[in-house]
Amino acid sequence: MGLRRIVLWDIDHTLIDTRGVGRELSELAFERATGLRMHRQAKIDGITESVIFRETARLHGLRTDRDDFGRFAQALTEAHAQRAADLRERGYALPGAAKALDAVAAQRGWVQTVVSGNVRAVAEIKLRTFGLDSHMLWEAGAFGEDADERSDLVALSLERAGVQAQDAVIVDDTPAGAEAGAANGVRVVAVATGRSSMEELRKAGANVVLSDLTDTQRLMAALRRYAGDR
């Protein structure tokens, strides 16, 4: 694509918070795909949707395959489309998210995309719902249907974008995101806007840890340091 620099954004608890709507829609999709009510859910932070579905199904005594996941992903997409108004009313874009995306977009030669455990269709609905989708180069991203491991998603996004690891930077709120960056030689700017503390994010290998995205100047300084012109 001839890109020079790329920022790889996580979505949930990095750019938005669904305030419980996401869990409700997962329950709905799980029941539609399996015929069983979802009484428990596997670990979700930093985990791809395919793994979450497989491990949640296992908690309910089910063994699943890719066809089962395909049905779940379709049901999950439909549920998000049907409940977009509810998502907009109850959820919100995290403070500073819109300004951060605008600031990156203003950098000459930079692009930005999504690397997320969400399936792509759901990722698009989530960001569109909160007006955060316009700057994303979606074809350079990697999503929950593409691979099970977060580190593989990062590698795939670099390949799709046609950039080297030193020309990319990840923004994520989870230790899994920091670890995926380290596994690929990609620097990570972590934000402690999810369930992990600043110390936990540092221990996971994040290069910079911010409390949130509200200080756009500080965020951009970190991004320029790790993915700017050298």
Side-chain angles (χ1 to χ4, degrees):
M1 298 181 187
L3 308 180
R4 292 175 54 207
R5 303 288 184 263
I6 190 166
V7 178
L8 313 178
W9 290 95
D10 179 43
I11 293 181
D12 294 296
H13 302 292
T14 298
L15 292 173
I16 70 167
D17 190 330
T18 69
R19 298 188 70 182
V21 178
R23 168 64 184 252
E24 292 174 12
L25 299 184
S26 291
E27 291 176 355
L28 179 60
F30 186 84
E31 185 170 1
R32 288 178 178 176
T34 68
L36 296 178
R37 293 190 63 184
M38 190 179 87
H39 299 291
R40 298 172 61 193
Q41 187 176 41
K43 178 182 176 182
I44 63 172
D45 287 353
I47 311 300
T48 60
E49 200 71 73
S50 58
V51 174
I52 296 169
F53 173 70
R54 184 186 69 212
E55 296 304 312
T56 299
R58 186 173 297 172
L59 292 174
H60 293 74
L62 300 176
R63 297 186 66 177
T64 58
D65 57 23
R66 292 300 293 186
D67 289 339
D68 295 317
F69 173 66
R71 285 190 290 272
F72 171 76
Q74 181 62 35
L76 190 63
T77 300
E78 292 171 355
H80 275 80
Q82 293 163 359
R83 294 271 301 275
D86 193 25
L87 181 64
R88 184 181 302 109
E89 180 179 348
R90 291 171 53 189
Y92 61 96
L94 289 175
K99 283 188 176 181
L101 295 174
D102 288 345
V104 173
Q107 301 300 302
R108 184 177 180 182
W110 287 36
V111 297
Q112 49 198 326
T113 192
V114 170
V115 172
S116 168
N118 285 278
V119 297
R120 175 171 171 171
V122 170
E124 291 180 352
I125 291 169
K126 284 182 174 181
L127 292 193
R128 184 168 63 247
T129 296
F130 298 106
L132 302 177
D133 61 317
S134 61
H135 297 309
M136 294 301 182
L137 186 66
W138 290 99
E139 61 266 32
F143 307 92
E145 67 268 42
D146 291 326
D148 285 352
E149 299 300 324
R150 193 84 174 196
S151 59
D152 292 337
L153 295 185
V154 173
L156 182 58
S157 181
L158 296 179
E159 179 182 342
R160 288 173 171 173
V163 299
Q164 300 299 310
Q166 63 267 25
D167 299 322
V169 62
I170 293 168
V171 185
D172 199 302
D173 70 286
T174 67
E179 291 163 359
N184 286 278
V186 177
R187 301 300 183 93
V188 177
V189 175
V191 287
T193 44
R195 296 180 176 88
S196 300
S197 68
M198 297 180 78
E199 183 60 24
E200 287 170 332
L201 294 168
R202 291 190 187 96
K203 287 181 177 178
N207 300 94
V208 172
V209 181
L210 306 177
S211 58
D212 55 35
L213 294 173
T214 57
D215 191 337
T216 307
Q217 184 174 358
R218 188 178 178 195
L219 170 67
M220 292 308 301
L223 295 180
R224 291 190 192 99
R225 178 180 178 185
Y226 292 124
D229 292 331
R230 288 176 288 277

